[in-house]
Amino acid sequence: MNFIQTTGRKTLAFVRILGAHTLFLLRIVSLLPQSLLRLRLTVRQVYFAGVLSVLIIAVSGLFVGMVLGLQGYTQLAKFKSADVLGFMVAASLLRELGPVLAAILFASSAGGAMTSEIGLMKTTEQLEAMNVMAVDPVARVVAPRFWAGVLSMPLLASIFNVAGIYGAYLIGVRWLGLDAGIFWSHMQNNITFGYDVLNGLIKSACFGTAVALIAVYQGFHCTPTAEGILRASTRTVVSSALTVLALDFILTAFMFTA
């Protein structure tokens, strides 16, 4: 009985949290016309959430691609199939690793920063001051950061993919001596825009929506103390990583299964 009660309690808590996030998302989406009028705020948040994350995304993508190139060449060479290294790395990055790893890195950097910033504004009663001045804090503070995350994620994932493919090129062609023409031709002949690139972009957009929603929700509903902000930032990173992995499984099941 205790096991059943615990399971039921945790299930109800999960459903309650999921419903709260959904209602918060609907509230943000309903404020889209106001967000379009405040486009400058969204562009500014795209800079803070996206542009400032480019370096860590590009460097991480480069090293991930180098590791994939080295490990892939080692394994493919055993079966005399090293020529397909370019296709293997590109497919792995475009379909799975690029969107997933970029989203987790985005959650760790920009997502945590969003939560901390909104939480600090709540702690210093800036959000309450906006309510007093008849300014909706969700439209003014939350929505621009949410849309910035949604817009930035596909671009960051694309940068991650490009850096990763270039890293594999450096290892496979420049270091291990694989022919450059074969490397690029196999990739060009087997990678398709609709199946590989577009599905990867759709994944990254879904991940960006989930990460941005979790970040702004945790910041907006955190306990207005220093410890509360710290806990909210931690929950943002952990919840975002788990959500991205779960969404990746669901989206892969729909996109890449016959």
Side-chain angles (χ1 to χ4, degrees):
M1 289 299 295
N2 290 334
F3 173 77
I4 296 176
Q5 291 177 353
T6 302
T7 303
R9 190 181 307 112
K10 290 185 179 297
T11 302
L12 290 176
F14 173 76
V15 172
R16 191 179 301 111
I17 293 174
L18 184 62
H21 280 77
T22 303
L23 292 176
F24 198 63
L25 174 61
L26 293 176
R27 184 179 177 185
I28 294 174
V29 173
S30 68
L31 296 172
L32 180 59
Q34 298 185 36
S35 300
L36 293 176
L37 295 177
R38 296 187 173 100
L39 190 59
R40 182 177 298 179
L41 293 177
T42 303
V43 172
R44 183 182 303 171
Q45 293 305 319
V46 168
Y47 172 78
F48 288 112
V51 176
L52 296 183
S53 300
V54 167
L55 181 60
I56 185 175
I57 292 292
V59 173
S60 300
L62 181 67
F63 282 107
V64 168
M66 293 171 69
V67 171
L68 285 176
L70 185 59
Q71 292 282 6
Y73 184 90
T74 301
Q75 299 303 318
L76 291 173
K78 297 179 181 179
F79 304 96
K80 308 299 181 182
S81 302
D83 292 345
V84 300
L85 177 66
F87 165 67
M88 186 209 71
V89 172
S92 300
L93 288 171
L94 292 172
R95 297 177 189 177
E96 295 295 333
L97 293 179
V100 171
L101 294 180
I104 293 176
L105 290 171
F106 180 78
S108 302
S109 57
M114 286 183 191
T115 301
S116 299
E117 189 175 9
I118 297 175
L120 183 61
M121 296 178 71
K122 183 176 182 180
T123 303
T124 56
E125 299 183 349
Q126 296 181 48
L127 301 182
E128 291 296 330
M130 291 182 186
N131 283 323
V132 172
M133 294 184 293
V135 176
D136 188 355
V138 176
R140 177 75 182 184
V141 175
V142 174
R145 288 166 174 78
F146 171 79
W147 294 117
V150 174
L151 295 174
S152 299
M153 193 60 251
L155 301 176
L156 293 174
S158 300
I159 294 173
F160 188 98
N161 293 334
V162 172
I165 293 173
Y166 182 70
Y169 168 81
L170 291 178
I171 294 298
V173 176
R174 295 297 183 181
W175 185 15
L176 299 175
L178 186 66
D179 184 80
I182 294 177
F183 181 89
W184 295 114
S185 63
H186 275 283
M187 187 187 307
Q188 183 178 3
N189 294 333
N190 293 284
I191 294 295
T192 60
F193 178 80
Y195 187 74
D196 299 297
V197 179
L198 185 59
N199 283 334
L201 291 176
I202 294 174
K203 273 189 174 185
S204 60
C206 294
F207 296 160
T209 301
V211 171
L213 177 62
I214 292 172
V216 296
Y217 178 89
Q218 293 293 339
F220 193 78
H221 293 89
C222 72
T223 304
T225 61
E227 183 180 0
I229 296 175
L230 178 61
R231 292 181 179 274
S233 300
T234 303
R235 284 195 300 268
T236 294
V237 176
V238 175
S239 300
S240 296
L242 295 176
T243 302
V244 165
L245 295 175
L247 279 177
D248 180 57
F249 172 77
I250 296 172
L251 294 174
T252 299
F254 282 101
M255 291 178 176
F256 299 109
T257 56

